[in-house]
Amino acid sequence: MSKVAVVYWSGTGNTEMMAQSVAKGADGELFTAADFTPDKAAAFDAIAFGCPAIGAEELEDSEFQPMFDAVKGALADKKVALFGSYDWGDGEWMRTWAANCEAEGISLAAEPVICNNTPDDEGLKNCEALGASLK
């Protein structure tokens, strides 16, 4: 069984709800983006990252993006998954994030999970399944 970290940033609580479901499915340890470092990343076999779409379909840039940039060099040999919520658009930020990961040699262990605004029961079940896929 893999040791799983679930790392997230949430502005409204929607991505935090998703993170809790991912952690439940993974039997994983929950971290906010501000509390996760490359040293911590080294201790895990799998990491799920959650961030909502901000502004023009981008990752949150004051805490999440700097943390992700700092740890992505340590992700090449780990199972990685992405999740997050959005309020507008069609999920372009997630497609861009996933493509950027692939371009940097980070292979995703599962299809990313996105939810429009507050996750519904199906969205939370999908998050739990995402977590379970990282075990």
Side-chain angles (χ1 to χ4, degrees):
M1 181 147 89
S2 296
K3 186 173 179 189
V4 182
V6 179
V7 185
Y8 73 95
W9 184 92
S10 187
T12 62
N14 293 338
T15 301
E16 182 176 11
M17 287 174 62
M18 295 176 74
Q20 290 167 346
S21 288
V22 172
K24 178 180 174 185
D27 294 322
E29 195 172 337
L30 208 52
F31 295 91
T32 63
D35 293 331
F36 201 71
T37 62
D39 291 347
K40 288 183 181 170
F44 292 91
D45 305 306
I47 306 172
F49 292 98
C51 187
I54 302 289
E57 297 267 347
E58 298 168 346
L59 296 174
E60 191 279 328
D61 65 359
S62 65
E63 283 183 25
F64 190 88
Q65 186 71 59
M67 174 279 304
F68 191 73
D69 288 342
V71 302
K72 65 185 173 187
L75 301 178
D77 61 342
K78 299 186 184 304
K79 286 181 168 180
V80 175
L82 309 177
F83 65 94
S85 63
Y86 66 102
D87 187 13
W88 60 90
D90 66 355
E92 178 186 343
W93 105 102
M94 185 60 74
R95 291 190 300 277
T96 301
W97 188 13
N100 289 344
C101 285
E102 302 267 337
E104 300 214 24
I106 301 166
S107 61
L108 301 180
E111 192 67 29
V113 174
I114 63 173
C115 293
N116 185 267
N117 289 310
T118 303
D120 59 14
D121 289 344
E122 180 183 356
L124 293 175
K125 284 179 187 166
N126 290 340
C127 287
E128 201 169 324
L130 180 74
S133 76
L134 296 176
K135 289 198 226 180

